[in-house]
């Protein structure tokens, strides 16, 4: 998928009818993240899905579905909508849609739907993710973002995550 396809990009709230499609995208996301977090699938081939469940049923959460034309290209889970700081809890773009601007345009749309303070975490060893998230922060809050390290809760064996903080204005 190239830059011309970003014109077809649509970001919308996922509905309960979208859940099975998001669950399949979740498996791809968790597979990608297993490289950095060391998670392995359960005996039935699934990964932990507490965040997926929360995205659809939790207070202060919103699941978004990303499409280009008739194709699913990813999802975004936002949490903290009922608090002072929003967090992009999970963000995923399928490999075939990466590197063409889809991810940047999609995340900008999600962030701008909820102006205010934001935080985004990513794994230190994920060089591609780090470059992407630093670009996002600079695009939405030029020169006005910060980066900190935080331990991964309940996972002392993992390296600390990097967190970007910034404010999204209308």
């Amino acid at each position: 998928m190239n830059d011309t396809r970003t014109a077809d990009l649509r970001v919308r709230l996922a509905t309960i009818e979208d859940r099975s499609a998001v669950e399949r995208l979740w498996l791809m996301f968790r597979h990608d993240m297993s490289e950095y977090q060391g998670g392995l699938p359960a005996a039935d081939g699934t990964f932990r899905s507490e965040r997926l469940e929360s995205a659809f049923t939790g207070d202060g959460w919103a699941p978004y579905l990303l499409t280009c034309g008739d194709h699913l290209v990813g999802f975004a889970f936002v949490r903290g909508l009922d608090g002072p700081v929003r967090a992009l809890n999970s963000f995923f773009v399928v490999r075939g849609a990466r590197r063409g601007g889809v991810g940047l345009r999609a995340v900008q749309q999600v962030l701008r739907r909820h102006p205010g303070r934001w935080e985004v975490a990513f794994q230190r060893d994920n060089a591609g993710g780090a470059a992407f998230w630093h670009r996002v922060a600079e695009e939405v809050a030029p020169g006005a973002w910060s980066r900190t390290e935080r331990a991964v809760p309940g996972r002392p064996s993992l390296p600390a995550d990097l967190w970007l903080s910034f404010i999204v204005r209308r």
Side-chain angles (χ1 to χ4, degrees):
M1 203 167 285
N2 58 33
D3 290 345
T4 60
R5 294 297 305 257
T6 62
D8 293 340
L9 177 66
R10 184 170 175 226
V11 175
R12 65 172 176 81
L13 277 171
T15 67
I16 197 67
E17 289 80 21
D18 298 315
R19 181 159 176 160
S20 63
V22 175
E23 287 174 350
R24 287 187 289 278
L25 291 169
W26 177 258
L27 291 174
M28 290 183 253
F29 168 69
R30 295 300 302 165
H31 175 261
D32 276 4
M33 297 312 299
S34 70
E35 179 177 355
Y36 309 106
Q37 297 175 336
L40 297 174
D44 66 355
T46 62
F47 288 89
R48 292 179 55 187
S49 59
E50 296 89 353
R51 287 183 282 164
L52 171 68
E53 181 65 28
S54 293
F56 278 91
T57 63
D59 292 337
W61 285 74
Y64 288 93
L65 190 62
L66 318 177
T67 60
C68 282
D70 294 334
H71 300 279
L72 295 178
V73 295
F75 66 83
F77 297 163
V78 175
R79 68 175 164 80
L81 293 175
D82 53 355
V85 180
R86 296 124 192 78
L88 197 52
N89 180 272
S90 300
F91 182 80
F92 176 70
V93 173
V94 299
R95 289 176 183 240
R98 294 179 190 172
R99 311 254 185 272
V102 169
L104 180 61
R105 284 207 41 230
V107 77
Q108 288 173 324
Q109 288 184 41
V110 170
L111 296 173
R112 289 195 173 111
R113 288 178 186 218
H114 307 284
R117 292 180 47 212
W118 276 90
E119 293 184 331
V120 175
F122 55 92
Q123 295 70 36
R124 170 194 312 276
D125 294 339
N126 184 350
F132 175 78
W133 290 114
H134 284 98
R135 180 174 177 205
V136 167
E138 191 59 30
E139 291 276 338
V140 299
W145 53 274
S146 63
R147 185 178 84 179
T148 58
E149 284 190 21
R150 296 184 201 161
V152 178
R155 307 280 306 270
S157 63
L158 293 179
D161 281 341
L162 299 177
W163 286 76
L164 301 182
S165 300
F166 47 86
I167 295 175
V168 175
R169 308 218 185 269
R170 283 209 184 266

